[in-house]
Amino acid sequence: MSGTPLTLAPEALSAFAAGLLEAGGFRPADAKKSADLLVWANQRGVDSHGVLRIPRYVEMVGLGLINPAAEPKVVNEWGAVALIDAGLAPGASAMEQVTDKAIEIAGRLGGGFCVGRNVTHAGAVGYFAHRIAARGLVGIVMTASKPLMAYPGARGEVVSSNPLAIAAPSEVAGEPIVLDMSTAAVALGQVLAARDAGRTIPEGWGIDSAGRPTTDPAAVQALTPMAGAKGAGLSLMIEVLCSLLAGNPLIAPALSGAAPAGFNGFVAAIDPGAFGSREHFLGDVHGLAAAIHGLPPAEGTQAVLLPGERGRRTAETRRSGIPLARGTSSKLKELATRLGVTIPEALQAA
């Protein structure tokens, strides 16, 4: 479904998203946390991890794949390491607890490592890495899920598009430096967003049921790995860190015909002060940022940017309104009508 995107103010979109999720079964606090995470992604131009996910989240509640009544609990803690079982709680709330536990441990010991098992879709993991860096810590966040992506030499879906985010505190523009990447050529949400927008995708994003490259987002059966074997191998090792350490393997059971539920997540929070002078570290980060910003731009490029900087600039331009693809807005309106949620005026006439 193509056409000019509809625009909604961030506050209005957040309220609408939270209302849909609450009507779909989420508790109010979890609905708000999930809405904040989704709209954060939309504001930064990562529409693949934004509000287009809401209909699926509501569907997952109905299927028992998300348990909105779950209470994540610490089930093991030893030294700088903790394990949380989320019990299939909403992903935003579950990963927030995993993140905050790692931060709390880092405050005591200089570094904290927390694994969360049985979380559900956690959206843009850069959100949680940003949360860590905003506390003056270095953050590393990963999540693992069921097979979605091809693996070199094998047919069909084998590994997942497991994402990785690394964030460092920085005084540059008052924002952390945040790398947030998928181990696939693109995240599955990019394919979903293209489908909602009625546009084709570049060759190299996915393959069809016959294993052939396709530009039709509706025909994608498996994503392709970032950088070939490197992306597939990185995804496999994220499965080790997130799932095997948690005692909740996802890939091996799925390849054996089982249907494992949930996701797993790994969070590390590291205090630079544990290694020496925090001020020197921040100064070195500033020096690195200045060196990158000072590079002469290549032809056709206006400026050389740091990881996460493009998203921050997009967020500035979207302060007054976030564009929604027509396909996304239609699905949200259909869901709102079914659940009895008031549709924002900006979406009603379209």
Side-chain angles (χ1 to χ4, degrees), residues 44-328:
R44 282 156 180 76
V46 190
D47 297 322
S48 59
H49 287 64
V51 296
L52 67 76
R53 299 278 180 167
I54 292 175
R56 176 57 179 165
Y57 286 179
V58 172
E59 181 183 30
M60 290 172 74
V61 171
L63 294 172
L65 300 177
I66 292 177
N67 178 6
E71 296 283 357
K73 298 176 182 177
V74 176
V75 295
N76 191 35
E77 186 169 357
W78 185 40
V81 174
L83 172 65
I84 288 177
D85 193 312
L88 300 181
S93 298
M95 281 301 290
E96 180 180 287
Q97 284 194 233
V98 174
T99 299
D100 287 351
K101 185 62 180 176
I103 291 171
E104 180 261 309
I105 295 173
R108 293 186 283 109
L109 300 176
F113 305 85
C114 188
V115 174
R117 70 182 179 210
N118 293 318
V119 301
T120 53
H121 189 268
V125 295
Y127 178 84
F128 304 102
H130 188 285
R131 184 182 182 90
I132 296 169
R135 305 284 185 93
L137 309 173
V138 174
I140 305 172
V141 182
M142 312 170 209
T143 58
S145 65
K146 66 180 183 179
L148 294 169
M149 188 171 76
Y151 191 87
R155 296 182 182 180
E157 298 172 323
V158 177
V159 291
S160 184
S161 55
N162 294 339
L164 163 68
I166 304 174
S170 171
E171 296 175 350
V172 178
E175 285 279 339
I177 299 173
V178 183
L179 169 71
D180 186 355
M181 55 171 274
S182 167
T183 50
V186 294
L188 176 61
Q190 292 275 35
V191 177
L192 299 178
R195 189 181 65 193
D196 278 0
R199 64 173 184 267
T200 59
I201 59 174
E203 189 168 304
W205 281 18
I207 56 177
D208 63 17
S209 57
R212 298 170 302 203
T214 180
T215 59
D216 179 0
V220 171
Q221 294 295 310
L223 300 172
T224 52
M226 169 202 73
K230 295 178 182 178
L234 180 56
S235 172
L236 196 69
M237 298 314 294
I238 291 175
E239 164 76 355
V240 172
L241 291 171
C242 293
S243 303
L244 304 194
L245 283 180
N248 188 38
L250 301 177
I251 296 300
L255 296 179
S256 299
F263 289 54
N264 301 303
F266 173 97
V267 177
I270 304 165
D271 186 349
F275 293 86
S277 168
R278 173 185 296 276
E279 288 70 28
H280 284 169
F281 172 79
L282 291 174
D284 287 342
V285 172
H286 183 81
L288 176 61
I292 296 299
H293 282 156
L295 293 171
E299 185 176 352
T301 303
Q302 293 185 340
V304 182
L305 303 179
L306 296 164
E309 200 164 15
R310 182 176 292 104
R312 186 165 70 246
R313 292 185 175 192
T314 301
E316 288 295 325
T317 66
R318 291 188 172 188
R319 281 184 182 274
S320 59
I322 295 175
L324 297 179
R326 291 275 176 164
T328 299

